[in-house]
Amino acid sequence: MNNQSAKGIALIVVGALIALPILGITLGWIIKLLFPLILIGLGVVGWRNGSKVMGGLMIAFGGLMVLGKFHTWILLAIAIALVAFGVSHLNKRRY
């Protein structure tokens, strides 16, 4: 990709981000979900390139943000697992 097409794509993205809220389309919730994942990805890239401290910090911070966003789903999965584990114990035959 040459310099002109990169500038063109950047201008299109910036213009679209300016125009979407005017049209009533908000993307804030998508950005809030993607930001922790982007942080984790940048941390992995930093870790692989030799910056273990900075990469580890970014991975840890992104991981904590993901836990904050998805804590309800994580707790639901834990609850389902506990119920399934309890049911499996009730169904075991004792000799």
Side-chain angles (χ1 to χ4, degrees), residues 3-86:
N3 197 16
Q4 289 296 328
S5 49
K7 284 181 187 177
I9 291 172
L11 288 172
I12 290 169
V13 169
V14 169
L17 289 175
I18 291 171
L20 285 175
I22 295 170
L23 298 173
I25 302 170
T26 58
L27 300 176
W29 63 276
I30 294 174
I31 305 244
K32 287 179 185 178
L33 289 177
L34 286 179
F35 185 70
L37 300 176
I38 291 170
L39 257 176
I40 292 171
L42 288 174
V44 168
V45 169
W47 186 279
R48 287 186 181 172
N49 288 334
S51 179
K52 303 254 186 229
V53 173
M54 193 62 178
L57 286 173
M58 291 177 80
I59 291 170
F61 190 64
L64 288 174
M65 289 175 72
V66 166
L67 285 176
K69 301 286 182 201
F70 298 115
H71 71 278
T72 305
W73 293 101
I74 293 169
L75 287 175
L76 181 63
I78 291 171
I80 291 171
L82 287 173
V83 168
F85 188 65

Side-chain angles (χ1 to χ4, degrees), residues 83-94:
V83 168
F85 188 65
V87 169
S88 72
H89 275 279
L90 290 176
N91 288 336
K92 285 185 180 178
R93 292 186 182 180
R94 295 186 181 112

